[in-house]
Amino acid sequence: MLRRRSRRRIALAVVAALAVVVLLLGIAGSVVLARAGSGTLPLPTGPDRIGRLRYDWVELGHTDPLASTPGRLRRLAVWIWYPASVPAGSQPAPYLPAAWQRAGSGGHGLQRLSLNTLLAGVVQHPMPASQAYADVPVAPGQRRYPVLVLMPGLGPSIPDYTVYAENLASHGYVVVGVNETDSSNLVVFADGTVARSTPAGSIPDPATTATERADANAIGRVWVADAEFVLGQLRHIDGERTSPFYGRLDLGRVGLFGHSFGGATALAVCQTDPRCRAGANLDGNPIPDTQGASVPRPFLFMTEGYPQGCAGDANCRLLEQQYRQARGPAYLVSIAGTKHFNFSDLPLQYNALGRAVLQRTGAIGAINPDRALAITNAELLAFFDRYVKGAAGTGASLLGNPAAFPEVRVTSKP
């Protein structure tokens, strides 16, 4: 079964559990608890300040097979984080732009699934703070910067992975986040157009195994094509004199990574596209049509924590199988105490009450959310520094360092 199906079940379980909590605690007391602190993202660990730009790109000549309106061209909202030169007096951009906040009624994370406004007010922090500055110049620190393409899970939007994008950008990467139109719960384009998930862009719950596999393959083909289109657009903006990225993208050093279905998409692209120098999959079951194929370039597979290893879980066995089939250097990394949505900003969007409910439903694990994200950030940075930047020796102490990360279990092969 595909891991993506759990999102709706989790959301419904959250609603039921929170309704009981609100009745037991009383609305007033709960709201005080919810507003006792504010959600914050871990500070980036690199030396560079961070810029953020947004593009809307249309795939000319390609109709959107996931759209509810037949014949519509495929359109993507792309966010780019990058090392920046920040003018004095600048203020960081909001975590979500105003139009996104209005379209989502100020909510994010699981609220976009099925939480109503009252319950969201009980368990959600105010909007997390961003460390990125909108539309500022690219830093002059180096002539060209390596590029990482980031793909979301099935349902989340790219802002839900801000913690990874900002950290990698602070270490000298241009991070290109692809919002998946018709599959993300919320996408807002520059002209104000709001796109929500469609039946064709989602996997229904419940669904038969055959239907689930067919839907995953259909969506996967679109997402792979999106990633390949974005790689082509990056070459265009690197060569366009009016572009802020003119001559600044090192397109000989490109990696792809993602969470859940986005991780599966990164794997699929890296199996066949030579533009992928290395890739990473954060807890995503492979797209069914790609499960028999090996990946010929360096790849990092990360999974939630399984006390008995992969033997007792079908999802983990799928990733382990892909790891064993890999022909390039490969790593299989698990983090004790994590669950599927620990590989996103989701836990940081909720207070202690909300996290307790998310943990009870199995959306997140017992590990401190900041710790889980810090470990994942460190693993991603070490891996991409070694295999995209090509920094000799980088990451040797990380990918299997029990002193620094006792929660991490690593299997690797050359």
Side-chain angles (χ1 to χ4, degrees), residues 215-235:
D215 289 343
N217 285 329
I219 295 169
R221 286 190 290 271
V222 175
W223 285 34
V224 168
D226 288 344
E228 293 172 342
F229 168 72
V230 166
L231 291 173
Q233 287 294 102
L234 293 175
R235 183 162 297 280

Side-chain angles (χ1 to χ4, degrees), residues 66 151-154 180 183 219-227 261-262 265:
L66 306 181
M151 311 288 287
L154 192 65
E180 286 296 343
S183 294
I219 295 169
R221 286 190 290 271
V222 175
W223 285 34
V224 168
D226 288 344
F261 205 93
T265 303

Side-chain angles (χ1 to χ4, degrees), residues 34-413:
R35 299 305 176 190
S38 61
T40 58
L41 301 181
L43 292 175
T45 60
D48 291 322
R49 302 185 79 180
I50 306 158
R52 191 179 78 194
L53 278 167
R54 294 182 290 150
Y55 285 93
D56 288 356
W57 288 334
V58 177
E59 298 186 43
L60 297 176
H62 291 81
T63 57
D64 187 347
L66 306 181
S68 296
T69 304
R72 191 187 72 186
L73 293 176
R74 182 74 175 160
R75 182 184 184 189
L76 296 174
V78 176
W79 290 29
I80 303 182
W81 290 262
Y82 53 93
S85 178
V86 179
S90 300
Q91 295 298 314
Y95 183 86
L96 288 179
W100 286 67
Q101 294 185 47
R102 288 192 298 270
S105 300
H108 45 286
L110 281 180
Q111 186 185 351
R112 293 202 298 267
L113 296 176
S114 62
L115 288 178
N116 63 40
T117 302
L118 173 62
L119 294 180
V122 171
V123 300
Q124 282 189 298
H125 278 308
M127 198 72 64
S130 166
Q131 299 298 317
Y133 295 80
D135 306 324
V136 294
V138 180
Q142 58 192 71
R143 180 71 181 93
R144 291 181 179 268
Y145 290 97
V147 176
L148 300 175
V149 176
L150 168 60
M151 311 288 287
L154 192 65
S157 304
I158 279 298
D160 292 313
Y161 303 93
T162 296
V163 66
Y164 300 138
E166 289 187 347
N167 194 65
L168 288 163
S170 80
H171 286 275
Y173 290 92
V174 174
V175 182
V176 182
V178 184
N179 287 289
E180 286 296 343
T181 313
D182 308 318
S183 294
S184 295
N185 294 312
L186 177 67
V187 176
V188 182
F189 293 96
D191 63 3
T193 300
V194 176
R196 302 189 187 274
S197 60
T198 65
S202 310
I203 298 175
D205 190 8
T208 65
T209 300
T211 298
E212 195 174 69
R213 289 176 63 88
D215 289 343
N217 285 329
I219 295 169
R221 286 190 290 271
V222 175
W223 285 34
V224 168
D226 288 344
E228 293 172 342
F229 168 72
V230 166
L231 291 173
Q233 287 294 102
L234 293 175
R235 183 162 297 280
H236 173 73
I237 64 172
D238 181 66
E240 185 179 41
R241 290 186 176 274
T242 58
S243 164
F245 296 105
Y246 174 61
R248 306 305 306 277
L249 304 180
D250 187 346
L251 297 176
R253 294 190 293 171
V254 173
L256 291 94
F257 74 108
H259 172 233
S260 196
F261 205 93
T265 303
L267 173 62
V269 174
C270 292
Q271 285 172 336
T272 60
D273 195 318
R275 291 174 292 184
C276 170
R277 187 162 175 168
N281 176 353
L282 307 184
D283 209 39
N285 293 350
I287 297 167
D289 277 350
T290 71
Q291 290 177 12
S294 62
V295 59
R297 42 195 56 87
F299 209 88
L300 170 65
F301 299 89
M302 296 191 72
T303 77
E304 63 183 68
Y306 296 99
Q308 307 304 319
C310 283
D313 185 89
N315 292 320
C316 190
R317 288 197 300 272
L318 283 172
L319 283 179
E320 185 178 47
Q321 178 185 2
Q322 292 291 156
Y323 159 76
R324 296 191 183 285
Q325 292 176 183
R327 300 202 305 274
Y331 298 84
L332 180 63
V333 176
S334 65
I335 305 173
T338 58
K339 293 292 185 182
H340 191 56
F341 288 102
N342 282 113
F343 295 99
S344 72
D345 295 357
L346 175 69
L348 304 185
Q349 298 170 3
Y350 289 81
N351 60 24
L353 174 60
R355 290 179 187 178
V357 174
L358 291 172
Q359 186 176 336
R360 185 172 182 84
T361 63
I364 64 174
I367 192 171
N368 179 285
D370 290 323
R371 176 67 174 171
L373 288 168
I375 292 172
T376 306
N377 262 331
E379 296 283 355
L380 287 171
L381 179 63
F383 177 79
F384 285 127
D385 275 358
R386 182 184 296 183
Y387 293 111
V388 171
K389 282 187 178 178
T394 298
S397 63
L398 170 66
L399 295 165
N401 182 353
F405 299 109
E407 305 94 333
V408 174
R409 178 184 296 176
V410 179
T411 304
S412 64
K413 63 180 184 177

